[in-house]
Amino acid sequence: MDGELDLDQLGAEHRAGATVEELSRRWGRSAGAIRHTLEVRASFPWLAQLPSHLLARLDWAEIQVPTGVVADVVRQLEAATGQLVMIYHRDHRGPAGTVQLCQLIEVAQLSPADATVLVDLERTVPDVSIVLYGNPLRLR
């Protein structure tokens, strides 16, 4: 089933017991890409608020799955600011035809205090880029 990836269907099939390898064959994507997409969706459940047709065009490879210290930073930023937090691989360039999340939704308007928290926490994870999006999520 090459073509546009239906993320709701992908998630449903995975929850129903399909392995990453089975999904890879069915959807015509690498197992690594399928695994990464599922991990990103699990790490950032608020992405489900976006319409499926926009999610299908998203450059999933730019998004970093949070683990360890990075996951702690995400939780701290969400708690401190109340905004939607996303982390990216620094200096990633996506393939043609994909879009970045910042092209789809509004970034957060930060108070000076929230901006200070963001800058302080960014220093603890220098290999990632952090963006805060408005909560509630607003399409551009």
Side-chain angles (χ1 to χ4, degrees):
M1 181 180 281
D2 276 321
E4 192 169 286
L5 190 60
D6 181 331
L7 297 167
D8 293 330
Q9 182 65 31
L10 176 73
E13 290 175 18
H14 188 252
R15 286 187 300 279
T19 67
V20 169
E21 290 72 22
E22 290 168 338
L23 294 170
S24 172
R25 286 189 298 276
R26 173 165 161 61
W27 291 97
R29 303 288 198 284
S30 73
I34 295 289
R35 185 175 296 108
H36 180 77
T37 300
L38 292 168
E39 289 172 350
V40 167
R41 293 271 318 246
S43 298
F44 301 101
W46 57 265
L47 287 171
Q49 296 176 51
L50 285 169
S52 298
H53 72 280
L54 295 179
L55 286 173
R57 296 180 46 223
L58 193 62
D59 178 10
W60 291 88
E62 77 171 341
I63 301 171
Q64 183 170 321
V65 175
T67 59
V69 172
V70 175
D72 292 340
V73 165
V74 169
R75 283 190 294 276
Q76 289 174 40
L77 278 170
E78 288 171 340
T81 66
Q83 303 297 337
L84 304 172
V85 178
M86 182 55 70
I87 55 171
Y88 298 97
H89 297 284
R90 197 175 286 283
D91 300 322
H92 173 81
R93 299 289 179 254
T98 61
V99 296
Q100 284 67 47
L101 199 53
C102 63
Q103 294 173 288
L104 302 176
I105 61 177
E106 296 288 334
V107 296
Q109 299 299 312
L110 300 180
S111 69
D114 287 348
T116 298
V117 170
L118 173 60
V119 168
D120 289 346
L121 287 172
E122 275 185 318
R123 289 185 182 126
T124 67
V125 287
D127 295 333
V128 301
S129 295
I130 303 172
V131 176
L132 276 61
Y133 295 100
N135 190 10
L137 183 143
R138 292 176 305 278
L139 293 177
R140 286 186 168 267

